[in-house]
């Protein structure tokens, strides 16, 4: 096998692995909605008081 062919096949394998890991992380992620809402509550309060 040529060196270029081996490099392209290994690059494809690495890209496929990264895509699979990223997809797996997105599917299994559990967002914490109350935590996000708490972090943004001061921004909403400042916006409402400024208006």
């Amino acid at each position: 096998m040529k060196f270029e062919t081996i490099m392209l096949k290994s690059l494809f394998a690495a890209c496929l692995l990264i895509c699979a890991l990223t997809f797996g992380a997105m599917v299994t992620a559990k967002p914490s909605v109350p935590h996000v809402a708490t972090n943004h509550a001061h921004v909403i309060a400042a916006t409402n008081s400024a208006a």
Side-chain angles (χ1 to χ4, degrees):
M1 240 190 234
K2 287 187 173 182
F3 176 73
E4 292 87 4
T5 306
I6 295 171
M7 290 299 292
L8 283 174
K9 286 187 177 186
S10 62
L11 177 64
F12 177 74
C15 291
L16 193 63
L17 177 65
I18 290 172
C19 289
L21 289 173
T22 304
F23 180 75
M26 287 190 295
V27 169
T28 59
K30 293 180 177 56
S32 176
V33 176
H35 177 69
V36 173
T38 304
N39 284 344
H40 293 287
H42 69 281
V43 175
I44 294 169
T47 305
N48 288 339
S49 65

